[in-house]
Amino acid sequence: MLETLNQRYAIAKVLTFQAGMDNQPIAKIHNDHATAEISLYGGHVLSYKPHSETADVLFLSPLATCAKGQAIRGGIPICWPWFGEDPEGLGRPNHGFVRNRLWQPIAAVAIDRGTTQLTLGLSDTEETRALWPHSFDLAIVITIGATLQVELITRNTGHTTFSLTQALHTYFTVGEIQHVRVRGLEGKYYLDKVEGSTRKLQTAAIAVTSEVDRIYLDVPANLTIDDSVLDRLIRITSIGNSTAVVWNPWITKAAAMGDLGDTDYQTMICVETTNAATDVVELAPGDTFRLSAAYQIDR
């Protein structure tokens, strides 16, 4: 399989396919701006590190695995076609079913000034239709350059309208969580899932001092993770969403997770670009919807 992938999609001295986590194929990219790793399992960005940085922009758990169909803990998991628990209560997996399936390369191209773009795709099968009875084409376009850009594209290839919620469930590396502030959501309401989805108002920059699991409503396009320990700002620019999720499991939940180290909560935070809660996408036959986020380091 790797030989075929490299014959069709490798870019000399820039992009190659290798065996990665649990022997699943990954694309490794090294261009003029950054290095990156992308797992075909889950259509999952595992790593993005500009050459100017000592720490990866993305957090990947040292205990992450995709063995036995498990979703990868860290990087950018794709939640689709529902975010969170099964909306119909049928016992289907949390966050949908595409993050534990093997995606296929569609295109790999080198863009001006050393930027690299990889497109992966996934379509419905008999197995997916048994879980969710709709026809679809999914593509994820991942652009590695001075910024990391991720665009998730959904096309309804069936004959009936379907609805979906979704997320780019991005895990970010931070120096020490208590010295991190998430800015841009001041004055916005959120649903506090730690307290039964109680609606609350964010009055200042977000500081994490306990478990945080919040769906922010009516969000702006630009958010910032201010990390004083790593001395950097991670700027997030999104398109196609009106909600965002901020998540950190804190002490008790981190210790209960088999694929997250007991203290890993201290060096990660999720700031997710989402269509969640009432931000539901309705897609008519033949229509396409795009959800995207760009991540850039600034100081």
Side-chain angles (χ1 to χ4, degrees), residues 14 19 36 53 55 58 106 146 153 160 199 211 239 256 269 273 299:
V14 173
E53 295 302 303
L58 303 179
I106 295 173
I153 306 168
T160 58
R199 184 182 173 98
E211 181 187 354
I239 300 173
I269 189 170
T273 300
R299 283 184 166 80

Side-chain angles (χ1 to χ4, degrees), residues 11-15 28-36 48-51 109-117 142-147:
I11 301 172
K13 299 182 179 180
V14 173
L15 187 156
K28 297 196 75 169
I29 294 171
H30 188 295
N31 61 28
D32 290 348
H33 298 287
T35 61
Y48 169 69
K49 187 172 176 290
H51 297 319
V109 295
I111 303 174
D112 290 345
R113 297 183 298 278
T115 300
T116 310
Q117 188 173 86
I142 302 158
T143 305
I144 306 297
T147 63

Side-chain angles (χ1 to χ4, degrees), residues 27 43 54 58-59 73 86 96 104 121 124 140 174 178 184 213 219-220 224 228 230 239 242 249 280 298:
T54 57
L58 303 179
F59 169 86
R73 177 73 64 188
D86 180 354
Q104 300 300 319
D124 60 283
I140 184 166
V174 297
Q178 58 266 47
D213 191 355
V219 300
T224 302
S228 60
L230 292 181
I239 300 173
S242 66
V280 178
D298 201 357

Side-chain angles (χ1 to χ4, degrees), residues 183-215:
R183 306 188 189 279
L185 293 167
E186 299 87 344
K188 299 299 181 181
Y189 285 96
Y190 64 90
L191 305 179
D192 190 340
K193 296 178 70 179
V194 175
E195 297 189 11
S197 293
T198 303
R199 184 182 173 98
K200 298 181 180 180
L201 178 65
Q202 185 70 44
T203 58
I206 299 168
V208 178
T209 57
S210 60
E211 181 187 354
V212 171
D213 191 355
R214 303 171 182 174
I215 302 176

